[in-house]
Amino acid sequence: PIIAWILCLRSTPFSARLVRSVAFVIGAALVLFPVALRNFDVGGEFHLTSSQLGHNLYIGNNSQADGTYQPLLWGRGDSEWMDGKKLAEEALQHSLSPAEVSDYWVGETLDYIRSEPLGWLQLLVQKFILIVNTTEIIDTEDQYTHALFSPVLAASGAIFHFGVLAPLAAFGVIVTWNQRRRLWVLYGMIFAYTASLLVFFV
């Protein structure tokens, strides 16, 4: 959304928009490319961040999924990569590279979606409800634990939670719709972030 926004700024000459877009891509590359190089050095494959696309896609989209993170093997949330590799290799009866493991789980995800399209659509609705829910789904850290030690977080969390903020944001989109040509990048970023959670898990 940010690159599209830069390129669509009509008040700026196209050459300047192009330079800004390239600068944005270079800035992102400065962060991601060293990681990709290390991945290639360690694992022999070029991955921008990790090779766990398939694992995470499957965790969020299978017949047992509830919209939140669930480990591939019960009780082993810290061993996702190893468990994903082990299960994929057991299923296919041969050793797999990180990319092949990811491809296996992508295939399992697509098989589920094709076999249970209505169940998958219900799962997407469940994920959306979790996204705009009052309570934030806890991952490695959460605001609720920090709020035990911070009166400011405790007070603000009691009032400004997603159950309040999400409807206010929706109302904000409605009342600023006549300014959508100027503000669409914000709408686009909200849409992209929400879509990423719907595709994977909340």
Side-chain angles (χ1 to χ4, degrees):
I2 292 174
I3 292 175
W5 172 65
I6 292 171
L7 290 174
C8 291
L9 288 171
R10 294 179 183 170
S11 59
T12 306
F14 181 75
S15 59
R17 286 180 270 165
L18 200 57
V19 168
R20 291 176 186 178
S21 300
V22 170
F24 181 84
V25 171
I26 290 172
L30 288 173
V31 176
L32 294 173
F33 194 65
V35 178
L37 284 178
R38 183 188 180 279
N39 288 341
F40 184 78
D41 181 55
V42 173
E45 294 179 345
F46 193 82
H47 299 284
L48 276 182
T49 55
S50 78
S51 60
Q52 293 183 231
L53 167 73
H55 306 64
N56 288 311
L57 200 60
Y58 180 80
I59 286 169
N61 301 277
N62 67 76
S63 59
Q64 305 301 314
D66 65 1
T68 65
Y69 175 83
Q70 302 292 331
L72 294 171
L73 292 175
W74 187 85
R76 288 175 54 83
D78 59 344
S79 308
E80 180 184 306
W81 184 83
M82 290 183 291
D83 293 342
K85 179 175 172 63
K86 176 177 179 287
L87 292 169
E89 289 180 344
E90 285 177 358
L92 298 178
Q93 296 294 301
H94 62 84
S95 62
L96 300 169
S97 71
E100 290 171 334
V101 172
S102 181
D103 289 345
Y104 168 80
W105 291 111
V106 169
E108 290 293 296
T109 302
L110 295 177
D111 286 347
Y112 159 69
I113 293 170
R114 280 191 290 263
S115 64
E116 298 184 44
L118 290 179
W120 180 64
L121 289 175
Q122 288 176 336
L123 181 59
L124 291 182
V125 171
Q126 172 66 18
K127 290 181 194 178
F128 184 77
I129 291 169
L130 290 173
I131 291 169
V132 298
N133 191 26
T134 299
T135 305
E136 181 182 349
I137 304 300
I138 295 171
D139 191 13
T140 53
E141 292 191 37
D142 67 278
Q143 180 169 322
Y144 312 112
T145 302
H146 293 297
L148 297 174
F149 307 96
S150 168
V152 173
L153 281 180
S156 61
I159 302 168
F160 297 114
H161 51 71
F162 260 64
V164 172
L165 295 179
L168 285 175
F171 180 70
V173 170
I174 293 168
V175 298
T176 61
W177 191 246
N178 62 337
Q179 302 178 56
R180 59 190 175 276
R181 290 179 184 237
R182 184 171 65 86
L183 299 175
W184 70 264
V185 67
L186 299 177
Y187 307 154
M189 291 175 74
I190 292 169
F191 177 83
Y193 185 73
T194 302
S196 73
L197 294 174
L198 290 174
V199 168
F200 293 98
F201 49 84
V202 183

